[in-house]
Amino acid sequence: MANAFLYRIGFAFFYFFLLFITSIFILFNILNVQIGIIPFLIGLIFVIIVYYQFTKLSNDFIESYFWIIVIANIIIILILSFCQPLWEDDWARYLWEGYLISKNISPYTISPDYFFGKNFIAINTESTLEILSRVNHPDWPAIYFPLIESYFYFCSLLAPISLTMIKIFYLIFDLIVLAIIRHLRGSKMALLFFSFPLILKEIYLNGHFEMIPIFFLTLSIY
């Protein structure tokens, strides 16, 4: 019994230690796009395999260490929120469109390529030039629904052109989802979602906004 308990403790520690080390490597640019996507995918698959073993931990064990695991996961999230996205550029559009709205310009009516050249200086400074240059499909106006655009705008008001701000505020929605799942399905199911590596990668590393529709979906089920 004691050996089994120590095994579970060690495995939970190893999973979050692995996530922590990976996050630190990305933060300090040790893991970056220059290493190529194949090693990155191999690493991601390894993390998922370890996560699968994490799913086998008992309900009692998860319940006993619920808040410790939550805090460990929040630390990972905060580190990833300061990391530069890998192989993604959607975040540039999020920042640009939030910035446009803060300037009372609708991103639905004017595409980013309008601001190339002289029109750029009319509303902007060089501090946002890099963001504009990274927007994919610059000939397209905004395609996201108004609630998401409002979120980008809100974050832009707090910290203009800050992807970290956009990512950190996802945590509010995530914690509410965690509480709802725990209420409906128990602590283990809640933590399996909260600690899911693909969620951590896409939401907190690459900045995708899917946590917001996940929040409303979960709220509607509740």
Side-chain angles (χ1 to χ4, degrees):
M1 180 69 70
N3 289 338
F5 178 77
L6 290 176
Y7 171 79
R8 290 195 294 269
I9 284 281
F11 197 88
F13 174 81
F14 176 70
Y15 177 65
F16 285 99
F17 178 75
L18 179 62
L19 291 179
F20 176 78
I21 290 298
T22 302
S23 302
I24 290 295
F25 279 10
I26 296 173
L27 179 64
F28 289 99
N29 204 34
I30 299 172
L31 289 177
N32 51 45
V33 296
Q34 281 71 37
I35 68 172
I37 195 169
I38 299 301
F40 181 77
L41 288 177
I42 292 173
L44 181 61
I45 291 171
F46 178 68
V47 170
I48 292 174
I49 291 173
V50 176
Y51 171 82
Y52 174 71
Q53 297 299 320
F54 180 74
T55 66
K56 296 182 178 181
L57 297 176
S58 68
N59 292 327
D60 291 340
F61 177 86
I62 293 291
E63 188 66 47
S64 299
Y65 293 91
F66 179 83
W67 290 110
I68 294 177
I69 297 174
V70 168
I71 292 172
N73 209 75
I74 290 176
I75 293 172
I76 303 299
I77 286 172
L78 293 177
I79 295 173
L80 289 175
S81 295
F82 286 91
C83 292
Q84 186 70 15
L86 297 179
W87 292 287
E88 293 285 349
D89 56 11
D90 289 344
W91 57 271
R93 182 172 284 272
Y94 306 162
L95 295 177
W96 176 252
E97 291 176 357
Y99 181 77
L100 275 189
I101 299 172
S102 72
K103 296 295 183 179
N104 296 318
I105 299 173
S106 171
Y108 293 111
T109 58
I110 302 177
S111 60
D113 62 356
Y114 171 81
F115 296 98
F116 294 162
K118 62 179 181 179
N119 292 320
F120 178 80
I121 302 301
I123 69 156
N124 221 328
T125 65
E126 291 188 3
S127 62
T128 51
L129 178 60
E130 181 181 358
I131 299 301
L132 179 60
S133 67
R134 287 174 174 263
V135 174
N136 58 23
H137 301 291
D139 55 322
W140 292 5
I143 61 173
Y144 304 120
F145 50 99
L147 177 64
I148 296 300
E149 296 291 348
S150 299
Y151 177 78
F152 299 155
Y153 166 62
F154 171 75
C155 293
S156 182
L157 290 180
L158 296 178
I161 312 297
S162 172
L163 181 60
T164 297
M165 183 64 66
I166 286 179
K167 293 197 285 187
I168 284 179
F169 269 92
Y170 290 146
L171 181 58
I172 296 175
F173 298 97
D174 205 352
L175 289 172
I176 296 174
V177 171
L178 174 73
I180 292 175
I181 296 177
R182 189 186 191 196
H183 177 75
L184 295 178
R185 298 295 304 275
S187 296
K188 182 173 181 178
M189 295 300 292
L191 285 182
L192 290 182
F193 172 80
F194 194 55
S195 306
F196 190 49
L198 287 179
I199 291 287
L200 296 175
K201 170 185 175 292
E202 293 303 324
I203 304 297
Y204 297 106
L205 174 58
N206 291 330
H208 289 140
F209 60 78
E210 277 73 12
M211 183 51 63
I212 297 176
I214 288 173
F215 162 76
F216 283 105
L217 174 62
T218 308
L219 192 63
S220 68
I221 293 172
Y222 177 73

